[in-house]
Amino acid sequence: MIVVTGATGQLGQLVVEGLVRRVPAADIAVAVRNPAKAAGLAALGVQVRTADYNAPESLATAFADADRLLLISGSEVGRRVAQHAAAIDAARQAGVGHLVYTSLLHADTSTLGLAPEHLATEQAIRDSGLPSTLLRNGWYTENYTQAILLAAETGSFAGNAGYGAISSAARADYAEAAVAVLTGEGHQGRVYELAGDVAWTYPDLAAELSRATGRAIDFRDVSAASHREMLANAGLPAALADAIVDYDRGIAEGDLLDDSGELRTLIGRPTTPLADTVAAILKN
C-alpha cells in the first residue's frame, strides 16, 4: 500500500494521478485533513483516510499497512517541525516500510528562511530509524503565476534577486519524481537534489514574457526595503512580504541554483522548460 499525505494539495493531486497510472488504485490511499475535498481522488478508486498533522491520534490509523508513505511537507510555516515529527512517529508506530519526504533544495546549506524546518524534519526522519528517501525539491515555476499574470497586465515586475539564477521546474516534474521513487527500487537512503535543467534569471523571465505576450515586459531590480514596501502597498500581509523578499535574497545568493540533473534522471526526460510553463499560465 502506498499512502500519500497532503493529497488534496496541488502537488499531492498530481502525485496521486501519476500513481494510478503505475499501480492499481486499490493499492493507493490518501491521508487528508478533510475527506470531503478528496472526492475527485476517491473517484479514481483510491482509499481516502482522515489524517490531520495537528491530531496525532489520527495519523497512525491513516498510515496503517503502508509499505511506502509520501510525507508532503505541511503548509503551516512555524508549525511544521512539530507536525512532521508527529507524522514520523506515527509512521514508525505503523511500521511503514519506506518514508519519502518532500524537503527543500540544498536544505543543509540553504540560507532561505524555509530551510531550518525542513532540515529539522530530515533529522527527525534519520532519528526515527525508518528507511527513507529525501526529495529536496527546488522551486516550482508555478510559484510565479501571480507575478507572471500581473506583469503581462502591467508590463513590468520587480524583485530584489538581481541576476540570481533559479533552477525551477514545473510542479508536475516534481510529482513525477515522487511517483518514480514510490514505485521504484533502490531509492532508500538517497538524498535527491531536484531542480530544473535550465536556470533562469528575472531578466530572462521578462524576456520570455515579452516574447509570449508580444509586448515589452521589463524587470525592475530594487532593494529589499523597496521590494518589501511595494509588496506591503499591494496589500500583502507583512509575513508574506518578508518571505518573498527573503526568497529573492536567497535567489541572489544562489540558494535555488542546481545543475545536478537528478530530477531529469529520476523522471527519465528533460524537465519542463520555462517557456512551456509561462505559456500554460498565460493560457489559463
Side-chain angles (χ1 to χ4, degrees):
M1 178 68 69
I2 299 173
V3 177
V4 178
T5 72
T8 55
Q10 291 175 302
L11 178 66
Q13 291 188 58
L14 290 171
V15 170
V16 175
E17 290 168 2
L19 285 172
V20 297
R21 291 193 289 268
R22 296 274 195 101
V23 300
D27 293 338
I28 304 166
V30 296
V32 298
R33 181 181 301 180
N34 184 353
K37 293 184 178 180
L41 298 175
L44 297 176
V46 305
Q47 297 181 34
V48 177
R49 302 176 178 180
T50 301
D52 187 337
Y53 290 150
N54 296 314
E57 66 279 1
S58 71
L59 298 174
T61 300
F63 300 162
D65 68 11
D67 301 304
R68 302 184 182 192
L69 170 68
L70 176 62
L71 176 59
I72 293 179
S73 57
S75 59
E76 298 179 68
V77 176
R79 304 184 64 185
R80 291 191 286 192
V81 175
Q83 292 174 337
H84 295 166
I88 294 162
D89 187 56
R92 183 183 55 78
Q93 293 180 44
V96 169
H98 182 191
L99 175 63
V100 181
Y101 173 64
T102 59
S103 187
L104 175 70
L105 185 67
H106 302 306
D108 54 342
T109 60
S110 176
T111 68
L112 291 177
L114 291 172
E117 287 187 308
H118 286 292
L119 197 58
T121 300
E122 290 186 3
Q123 187 58 52
I125 292 171
R126 293 189 184 97
D127 291 344
S128 75
L130 287 167
S132 64
T133 303
L134 302 178
L135 302 179
R136 288 180 170 171
N137 288 352
W139 238 220
Y140 305 147
T141 310
E142 291 90 345
N143 288 350
Y144 293 97
T145 295
Q146 294 307 315
I148 287 169
L149 294 175
L150 185 61
E153 179 182 343
T154 64
S156 69
F157 67 101
N160 57 282
Y163 286 86
I166 307 162
S167 302
S168 75
R171 185 179 282 109
D173 296 338
Y174 295 105
E176 192 172 332
V179 170
V181 170
L182 290 167
T183 60
E185 301 296 336
H187 301 293
Q188 291 188 8
R190 296 292 302 272
V191 178
Y192 290 109
E193 304 289 355
L194 303 180
D197 293 340
V198 180
W200 52 271
T201 65
Y202 284 170
D204 292 333
L205 176 58
E208 177 54 36
L209 280 169
S210 298
R211 188 199 65 77
T213 62
R215 63 176 298 192
I217 306 291
D218 71 276
F219 164 64
R220 290 177 291 147
D221 184 28
V222 298
S223 69
S226 294
H227 193 195
R228 185 179 291 105
E229 182 179 2
M230 293 168 64
L231 294 169
N233 290 340
L236 271 67
L240 179 56
D242 286 343
I244 292 172
V245 170
D246 181 63
Y247 300 156
D248 273 10
R249 176 202 56 76
I251 290 167
E253 295 183 17
D255 284 330
L256 293 174
L257 180 64
D258 181 87
D259 62 358
S260 66
E262 292 187 349
L263 179 53
R264 177 180 66 250
T265 299
L266 269 182
I267 63 180
R269 60 168 176 79
T271 59
T272 304
L274 172 66
D276 290 6
T277 303
V278 167
I281 290 170
L282 293 174
K283 180 179 180 180
N284 296 328

